[in-house]
mmCIF file of all heavy atoms in Angstrom:
data_model
loop_
_atom_site.group_PDB
_atom_site.id
_atom_site.type_symbol
_atom_site.label_atom_id
_atom_site.label_comp_id
_atom_site.label_asym_id
_atom_site.label_seq_id
_atom_site.Cartn_x
_atom_site.Cartn_y
_atom_site.Cartn_z
ATOM 1 N N ILE A 1 2.888 -49.601 -97.851
ATOM 2 C CA ILE A 1 1.782 -49.178 -96.964
ATOM 3 C C ILE A 1 1.278 -50.427 -96.248
ATOM 4 O O ILE A 1 0.843 -51.378 -96.894
ATOM 5 C CB ILE A 1 0.639 -48.543 -97.774
ATOM 6 C CG1 ILE A 1 1.133 -47.331 -98.574
ATOM 7 C CG2 ILE A 1 -0.501 -48.166 -96.842
ATOM 8 C CD1 ILE A 1 0.128 -46.824 -99.586
ATOM 9 N N ILE A 2 1.349 -50.399 -94.940
ATOM 10 C CA ILE A 2 0.835 -51.514 -94.151
ATOM 11 C C ILE A 2 -0.317 -50.974 -93.329
ATOM 12 O O ILE A 2 -0.121 -50.196 -92.401
ATOM 13 C CB ILE A 2 1.943 -52.122 -93.262
ATOM 14 C CG1 ILE A 2 3.069 -52.634 -94.135
ATOM 15 C CG2 ILE A 2 1.360 -53.235 -92.394
ATOM 16 C CD1 ILE A 2 4.285 -53.092 -93.402
ATOM 17 N N ASP A 3 -1.528 -51.385 -93.718
ATOM 18 C CA ASP A 3 -2.723 -50.879 -93.059
ATOM 19 C C ASP A 3 -3.808 -51.949 -93.153
ATOM 20 O O ASP A 3 -4.144 -52.392 -94.245
ATOM 21 C CB ASP A 3 -3.191 -49.587 -93.763
ATOM 22 C CG ASP A 3 -4.304 -48.880 -93.038
ATOM 23 O OD1 ASP A 3 -5.145 -49.568 -92.413
ATOM 24 O OD2 ASP A 3 -4.366 -47.638 -93.095
ATOM 25 N N SER A 4 -4.331 -52.358 -92.027
ATOM 26 C CA SER A 4 -5.322 -53.463 -92.015
ATOM 27 C C SER A 4 -6.592 -53.108 -92.780
ATOM 28 O O SER A 4 -7.316 -54.000 -93.205
ATOM 29 C CB SER A 4 -5.665 -53.854 -90.572
ATOM 30 O OG SER A 4 -6.214 -52.749 -89.896
ATOM 31 N N SER A 5 -6.854 -51.829 -93.021
ATOM 32 C CA SER A 5 -8.050 -51.436 -93.753
ATOM 33 C C SER A 5 -7.970 -51.856 -95.220
ATOM 34 O O SER A 5 -8.985 -51.869 -95.916
ATOM 35 C CB SER A 5 -8.305 -49.943 -93.642
ATOM 36 O OG SER A 5 -7.311 -49.222 -94.321
ATOM 37 N N LEU A 6 -6.785 -52.230 -95.696
ATOM 38 C CA LEU A 6 -6.619 -52.640 -97.076
ATOM 39 C C LEU A 6 -6.807 -54.146 -97.270
ATOM 40 O O LEU A 6 -6.780 -54.644 -98.392
ATOM 41 C CB LEU A 6 -5.228 -52.216 -97.578
ATOM 42 C CG LEU A 6 -4.967 -50.707 -97.551
ATOM 43 C CD1 LEU A 6 -3.505 -50.415 -97.875
ATOM 44 C CD2 LEU A 6 -5.888 -49.987 -98.497
ATOM 45 N N GLU A 7 -6.994 -54.877 -96.180
ATOM 46 C CA GLU A 7 -7.132 -56.339 -96.261
ATOM 47 C C GLU A 7 -8.360 -56.756 -97.081
ATOM 48 O O GLU A 7 -8.335 -57.799 -97.727
ATOM 49 C CB GLU A 7 -7.166 -56.945 -94.874
ATOM 50 C CG GLU A 7 -5.833 -56.894 -94.170
ATOM 51 C CD GLU A 7 -5.886 -57.360 -92.723
ATOM 52 O OE1 GLU A 7 -6.974 -57.804 -92.265
ATOM 53 O OE2 GLU A 7 -4.854 -57.278 -92.057
ATOM 54 N N ASP A 8 -9.424 -55.980 -97.042
ATOM 55 C CA ASP A 8 -10.616 -56.318 -97.837
ATOM 56 C C ASP A 8 -10.275 -56.360 -99.315
ATOM 57 O O ASP A 8 -10.785 -57.219 -100.049
ATOM 58 C CB ASP A 8 -11.747 -55.311 -97.607
ATOM 59 C CG ASP A 8 -12.501 -55.574 -96.318
ATOM 60 O OD1 ASP A 8 -12.336 -56.664 -95.751
ATOM 61 O OD2 ASP A 8 -13.254 -54.676 -95.897
ATOM 62 N N ILE A 9 -9.441 -55.444 -99.755
ATOM 63 C CA ILE A 9 -9.071 -55.398 -101.175
ATOM 64 C C ILE A 9 -8.288 -56.625 -101.557
ATOM 65 O O ILE A 9 -8.582 -57.275 -102.575
ATOM 66 C CB ILE A 9 -8.273 -54.107 -101.496
ATOM 67 C CG1 ILE A 9 -9.172 -52.890 -101.273
ATOM 68 C CG2 ILE A 9 -7.728 -54.141 -102.913
ATOM 69 C CD1 ILE A 9 -8.451 -51.560 -101.305
ATOM 70 N N THR A 10 -7.290 -56.997 -100.753
ATOM 71 C CA THR A 10 -6.499 -58.179 -101.103
ATOM 72 C C THR A 10 -7.311 -59.449 -100.995
ATOM 73 O O THR A 10 -7.115 -60.385 -101.765
ATOM 74 C CB THR A 10 -5.224 -58.268 -100.226
ATOM 75 O OG1 THR A 10 -5.594 -58.263 -98.848
ATOM 76 C CG2 THR A 10 -4.284 -57.118 -100.510
ATOM 77 N N TYR A 11 -8.273 -59.501 -100.070
ATOM 78 C CA TYR A 11 -9.117 -60.688 -99.965
ATOM 79 C C TYR A 11 -10.026 -60.830 -101.172
ATOM 80 O O TYR A 11 -10.248 -61.948 -101.660
ATOM 81 C CB TYR A 11 -9.960 -60.676 -98.678
ATOM 82 C CG TYR A 11 -10.646 -62.003 -98.446
ATOM 83 C CD1 TYR A 11 -9.977 -63.048 -97.844
ATOM 84 C CD2 TYR A 11 -11.951 -62.208 -98.887
ATOM 85 C CE1 TYR A 11 -10.591 -64.291 -97.639
ATOM 86 C CE2 TYR A 11 -12.561 -63.430 -98.696
ATOM 87 C CZ TYR A 11 -11.887 -64.471 -98.083
ATOM 88 O OH TYR A 11 -12.486 -65.681 -97.918
ATOM 89 N N VAL A 12 -10.518 -59.741 -101.697
ATOM 90 C CA VAL A 12 -11.375 -59.806 -102.909
ATOM 91 C C VAL A 12 -10.553 -60.300 -104.090
ATOM 92 O O VAL A 12 -11.034 -61.075 -104.908
ATOM 93 C CB VAL A 12 -12.022 -58.439 -103.202
ATOM 94 C CG1 VAL A 12 -12.597 -58.394 -104.607
ATOM 95 C CG2 VAL A 12 -13.095 -58.133 -102.179
ATOM 96 N N LEU A 13 -9.285 -59.886 -104.160
ATOM 97 C CA LEU A 13 -8.425 -60.343 -105.267
ATOM 98 C C LEU A 13 -8.030 -61.793 -105.134
ATOM 99 O O LEU A 13 -7.881 -62.495 -106.117
ATOM 100 C CB LEU A 13 -7.146 -59.482 -105.323
ATOM 101 C CG LEU A 13 -7.361 -58.054 -105.788
ATOM 102 C CD1 LEU A 13 -6.081 -57.244 -105.593
ATOM 103 C CD2 LEU A 13 -7.802 -58.005 -107.218
ATOM 104 N N LYS A 14 -7.842 -62.258 -103.903
ATOM 105 C CA LYS A 14 -7.396 -63.636 -103.681
ATOM 106 C C LYS A 14 -8.093 -64.213 -102.454
ATOM 107 O O LYS A 14 -7.499 -64.352 -101.401
ATOM 108 C CB LYS A 14 -5.877 -63.667 -103.509
ATOM 109 C CG LYS A 14 -5.313 -65.058 -103.553
ATOM 110 C CD LYS A 14 -3.809 -65.019 -103.685
ATOM 111 C CE LYS A 14 -3.187 -66.382 -103.583
ATOM 112 N NZ LYS A 14 -3.517 -67.294 -104.624
ATOM 113 N N PRO A 15 -9.401 -64.540 -102.602
ATOM 114 C CA PRO A 15 -10.103 -65.130 -101.467
ATOM 115 C C PRO A 15 -9.559 -66.491 -101.110
ATOM 116 O O PRO A 15 -9.117 -67.234 -101.984
ATOM 117 C CB PRO A 15 -11.543 -65.230 -101.959
ATOM 118 C CG PRO A 15 -11.567 -64.819 -103.367
ATOM 119 C CD PRO A 15 -10.214 -64.386 -103.768
ATOM 120 N N THR A 16 -9.585 -66.801 -99.831
ATOM 121 C CA THR A 16 -9.114 -68.101 -99.361
ATOM 122 C C THR A 16 -10.209 -68.743 -98.513
ATOM 123 O O THR A 16 -11.010 -68.053 -97.885
ATOM 124 C CB THR A 16 -7.835 -67.976 -98.519
ATOM 125 O OG1 THR A 16 -8.079 -67.063 -97.433
ATOM 126 C CG2 THR A 16 -6.670 -67.472 -99.350
ATOM 127 N N PHE A 17 -10.238 -70.055 -98.523
ATOM 128 C CA PHE A 17 -11.257 -70.804 -97.801
ATOM 129 C C PHE A 17 -10.590 -71.911 -96.981
ATOM 130 O O PHE A 17 -9.711 -72.586 -97.480
ATOM 131 C CB PHE A 17 -12.234 -71.439 -98.789
ATOM 132 C CG PHE A 17 -13.095 -70.452 -99.534
ATOM 133 C CD1 PHE A 17 -12.601 -69.805 -100.643
ATOM 134 C CD2 PHE A 17 -14.386 -70.156 -99.087
ATOM 135 C CE1 PHE A 17 -13.379 -68.871 -101.334
ATOM 136 C CE2 PHE A 17 -15.153 -69.237 -99.757
ATOM 137 C CZ PHE A 17 -14.658 -68.591 -100.872
ATOM 138 N N THR A 18 -11.041 -72.047 -95.753
ATOM 139 C CA THR A 18 -10.566 -73.141 -94.921
ATOM 140 C C THR A 18 -11.477 -74.346 -95.140
ATOM 141 O O THR A 18 -12.615 -74.210 -95.618
ATOM 142 C CB THR A 18 -10.590 -72.765 -93.425
ATOM 143 O OG1 THR A 18 -11.958 -72.532 -93.048
ATOM 144 C CG2 THR A 18 -9.749 -71.519 -93.158
ATOM 145 N N ALA A 19 -10.996 -75.509 -94.758
ATOM 146 C CA ALA A 19 -11.803 -76.720 -94.876
ATOM 147 C C ALA A 19 -13.089 -76.579 -94.041
ATOM 148 O O ALA A 19 -14.159 -77.040 -94.469
ATOM 149 C CB ALA A 19 -11.000 -77.937 -94.426
ATOM 150 N N GLN A 20 -12.994 -75.947 -92.885
ATOM 151 C CA GLN A 20 -14.167 -75.750 -92.037
ATOM 152 C C GLN A 20 -15.197 -74.851 -92.726
ATOM 153 O O GLN A 20 -16.419 -75.108 -92.674
ATOM 154 C CB GLN A 20 -13.783 -75.138 -90.686
ATOM 155 C CG GLN A 20 -12.918 -76.005 -89.817
ATOM 156 C CD GLN A 20 -11.425 -75.996 -90.215
ATOM 157 O OE1 GLN A 20 -11.009 -75.189 -91.025
ATOM 158 N NE2 GLN A 20 -10.665 -76.901 -89.646
ATOM 159 N N HIS A 21 -14.725 -73.783 -93.362
ATOM 160 C CA HIS A 21 -15.643 -72.868 -94.040
ATOM 161 C C HIS A 21 -16.339 -73.590 -95.212
ATOM 162 O O HIS A 21 -17.539 -73.460 -95.405
ATOM 163 C CB HIS A 21 -14.876 -71.638 -94.540
ATOM 164 C CG HIS A 21 -15.759 -70.629 -95.179
ATOM 165 N ND1 HIS A 21 -15.348 -69.838 -96.225
ATOM 166 C CD2 HIS A 21 -17.043 -70.256 -94.937
ATOM 167 C CE1 HIS A 21 -16.342 -69.056 -96.589
ATOM 168 N NE2 HIS A 21 -17.383 -69.284 -95.817
ATOM 169 N N ILE A 22 -15.575 -74.369 -95.951
ATOM 170 C CA ILE A 22 -16.132 -75.104 -97.090
ATOM 171 C C ILE A 22 -17.189 -76.098 -96.621
ATOM 172 O O ILE A 22 -18.249 -76.219 -97.229
ATOM 173 C CB ILE A 22 -15.005 -75.826 -97.887
ATOM 174 C CG1 ILE A 22 -14.093 -74.766 -98.540
ATOM 175 C CG2 ILE A 22 -15.585 -76.761 -98.919
ATOM 176 C CD1 ILE A 22 -12.809 -75.313 -99.120
ATOM 177 N N ALA A 23 -16.934 -76.753 -95.495
ATOM 178 C CA ALA A 23 -17.883 -77.736 -94.955
ATOM 179 C C ALA A 23 -19.207 -77.080 -94.564
ATOM 180 O O ALA A 23 -20.259 -77.739 -94.583
ATOM 181 C CB ALA A 23 -17.277 -78.457 -93.766
ATOM 182 N N GLN A 24 -19.191 -75.828 -94.227
ATOM 183 C CA GLN A 24 -20.402 -75.113 -93.786
ATOM 184 C C GLN A 24 -21.192 -74.476 -94.951
ATOM 185 O O GLN A 24 -22.311 -74.023 -94.737
ATOM 186 C CB GLN A 24 -20.026 -74.005 -92.787
ATOM 187 C CG GLN A 24 -19.466 -74.525 -91.486
ATOM 188 C CD GLN A 24 -20.484 -75.394 -90.756
ATOM 189 O OE1 GLN A 24 -21.650 -75.042 -90.623
ATOM 190 N NE2 GLN A 24 -20.040 -76.562 -90.316
ATOM 191 N N LEU A 25 -20.656 -74.451 -96.156
ATOM 192 C CA LEU A 25 -21.305 -73.740 -97.258
ATOM 193 C C LEU A 25 -22.737 -74.171 -97.508
ATOM 194 O O LEU A 25 -23.607 -73.331 -97.761
ATOM 195 C CB LEU A 25 -20.488 -73.879 -98.537
ATOM 196 C CG LEU A 25 -19.198 -73.090 -98.598
ATOM 197 C CD1 LEU A 25 -18.438 -73.385 -99.888
ATOM 198 C CD2 LEU A 25 -19.443 -71.591 -98.448
ATOM 199 N N ASP A 26 -23.000 -75.448 -97.478
ATOM 200 C CA ASP A 26 -24.331 -75.945 -97.793
ATOM 201 C C ASP A 26 -25.223 -76.049 -96.554
ATOM 202 O O ASP A 26 -26.410 -76.311 -96.667
ATOM 203 C CB ASP A 26 -24.265 -77.297 -98.489
ATOM 204 C CG ASP A 26 -23.577 -77.192 -99.845
ATOM 205 O OD1 ASP A 26 -23.794 -76.181 -100.519
ATOM 206 O OD2 ASP A 26 -22.839 -78.115 -100.210
ATOM 207 N N LYS A 27 -24.635 -75.866 -95.386
ATOM 208 C CA LYS A 27 -25.399 -76.006 -94.135
ATOM 209 C C LYS A 27 -26.027 -74.710 -93.690
ATOM 210 O O LYS A 27 -27.053 -74.721 -93.034
ATOM 211 C CB LYS A 27 -24.494 -76.562 -93.034
ATOM 212 C CG LYS A 27 -24.046 -77.963 -93.317
ATOM 213 C CD LYS A 27 -23.136 -78.491 -92.263
ATOM 214 C CE LYS A 27 -22.688 -79.899 -92.671
ATOM 215 N NZ LYS A 27 -21.516 -80.308 -91.977
ATOM 216 N N GLN A 28 -25.410 -73.594 -94.017
ATOM 217 C CA GLN A 28 -25.993 -72.315 -93.600
ATOM 218 C C GLN A 28 -25.856 -71.300 -94.752
ATOM 219 O O GLN A 28 -24.781 -70.959 -95.162
ATOM 220 C CB GLN A 28 -25.293 -71.790 -92.354
ATOM 221 C CG GLN A 28 -23.780 -71.626 -92.485
ATOM 222 C CD GLN A 28 -23.162 -71.115 -91.219
ATOM 223 O OE1 GLN A 28 -23.845 -70.744 -90.301
ATOM 224 N NE2 GLN A 28 -21.836 -71.073 -91.183
ATOM 225 N N ALA A 29 -27.001 -70.877 -95.211
ATOM 226 C CA ALA A 29 -27.027 -69.868 -96.280
ATOM 227 C C ALA A 29 -27.042 -68.505 -95.602
ATOM 228 O O ALA A 29 -28.020 -68.136 -94.949
ATOM 229 C CB ALA A 29 -28.247 -70.059 -97.152
ATOM 230 N N LYS A 30 -25.950 -67.783 -95.734
ATOM 231 C CA LYS A 30 -25.831 -66.480 -95.089
ATOM 232 C C LYS A 30 -25.647 -65.416 -96.162
ATOM 233 O O LYS A 30 -24.732 -65.479 -96.969
ATOM 234 C CB LYS A 30 -24.645 -66.491 -94.147
ATOM 235 C CG LYS A 30 -24.481 -65.191 -93.374
ATOM 236 C CD LYS A 30 -23.292 -65.266 -92.444
ATOM 237 C CE LYS A 30 -23.081 -63.915 -91.796
ATOM 238 N NZ LYS A 30 -21.830 -63.871 -91.063
ATOM 239 N N LEU A 31 -26.557 -64.439 -96.172
ATOM 240 C CA LEU A 31 -26.452 -63.342 -97.137
ATOM 241 C C LEU A 31 -25.238 -62.479 -96.813
ATOM 242 O O LEU A 31 -24.906 -62.263 -95.664
ATOM 243 C CB LEU A 31 -27.696 -62.480 -97.100
ATOM 244 C CG LEU A 31 -28.954 -63.077 -97.730
ATOM 245 C CD1 LEU A 31 -30.145 -62.170 -97.500
ATOM 246 C CD2 LEU A 31 -28.764 -63.299 -99.222
ATOM 247 N N SER A 32 -24.602 -62.012 -97.869
ATOM 248 C CA SER A 32 -23.482 -61.071 -97.736
ATOM 249 C C SER A 32 -23.913 -59.732 -98.310
ATOM 250 O O SER A 32 -24.809 -59.658 -99.149
ATOM 251 C CB SER A 32 -22.270 -61.583 -98.505
ATOM 252 O OG SER A 32 -21.777 -62.760 -97.903
ATOM 253 N N ARG A 33 -23.261 -58.681 -97.882
ATOM 254 C CA ARG A 33 -23.587 -57.338 -98.352
ATOM 255 C C ARG A 33 -22.407 -56.824 -99.181
ATOM 256 O O ARG A 33 -21.274 -56.789 -98.735
ATOM 257 C CB ARG A 33 -23.844 -56.401 -97.192
ATOM 258 C CG ARG A 33 -24.300 -55.006 -97.654
ATOM 259 C CD ARG A 33 -24.790 -54.136 -96.508
ATOM 260 N NE ARG A 33 -25.859 -54.734 -95.714
ATOM 261 C CZ ARG A 33 -27.129 -54.777 -96.069
ATOM 262 N NH1 ARG A 33 -27.530 -54.282 -97.213
ATOM 263 N NH2 ARG A 33 -28.020 -55.331 -95.270
ATOM 264 N N ALA A 34 -22.713 -56.414 -100.415
ATOM 265 C CA ALA A 34 -21.691 -55.855 -101.305
ATOM 266 C C ALA A 34 -21.432 -54.385 -100.927
ATOM 267 O O ALA A 34 -22.189 -53.787 -100.146
ATOM 268 C CB ALA A 34 -22.182 -55.940 -102.760
ATOM 269 N N TYR A 35 -20.400 -53.836 -101.476
ATOM 270 C CA TYR A 35 -19.984 -52.455 -101.178
ATOM 271 C C TYR A 35 -21.090 -51.456 -101.491
ATOM 272 O O TYR A 35 -21.280 -50.484 -100.786
ATOM 273 C CB TYR A 35 -18.727 -52.143 -101.990
ATOM 274 C CG TYR A 35 -18.123 -50.799 -101.675
ATOM 275 C CD1 TYR A 35 -17.482 -50.575 -100.459
ATOM 276 C CD2 TYR A 35 -18.192 -49.759 -102.604
ATOM 277 C CE1 TYR A 35 -16.945 -49.341 -100.162
ATOM 278 C CE2 TYR A 35 -17.649 -48.519 -102.310
ATOM 279 C CZ TYR A 35 -17.019 -48.325 -101.095
ATOM 280 O OH TYR A 35 -16.473 -47.101 -100.792
ATOM 281 N N ASP A 36 -21.868 -51.713 -102.546
ATOM 282 C CA ASP A 36 -22.952 -50.801 -102.930
ATOM 283 C C ASP A 36 -24.208 -50.999 -102.103
ATOM 284 O O ASP A 36 -25.233 -50.354 -102.351
ATOM 285 C CB ASP A 36 -23.243 -50.900 -104.415
ATOM 286 C CG ASP A 36 -23.790 -52.266 -104.818
ATOM 287 O OD1 ASP A 36 -23.961 -53.133 -103.934
ATOM 288 O OD2 ASP A 36 -24.041 -52.447 -106.019
#
């Protein structure tokens, strides 16, 4: 099954971070919303 709607599931199982994203972690606190 190839469907882009399933990408959230695979990302939760194996999240990846770029160097740019890591550099921003302490500079901007951004709230995330969980499924619930």
Side-chain angles (χ1 to χ4, degrees):
I1 301 169
I2 300 172
D3 188 327
S4 61
S5 68
L6 300 172
E7 290 174 3
D8 280 346
I9 295 170
T10 56
Y11 189 83
V12 166
L13 289 171
K14 191 167 174 65
T16 56
F17 293 82
T18 64
Q20 294 81 10
H21 184 214
I22 294 169
Q24 294 299 313
L25 287 176
D26 295 324
K27 294 179 182 161
Q28 57 180 352
K30 183 180 175 189
L31 286 174
S32 293
R33 185 170 305 281
Y35 186 71
D36 64 1

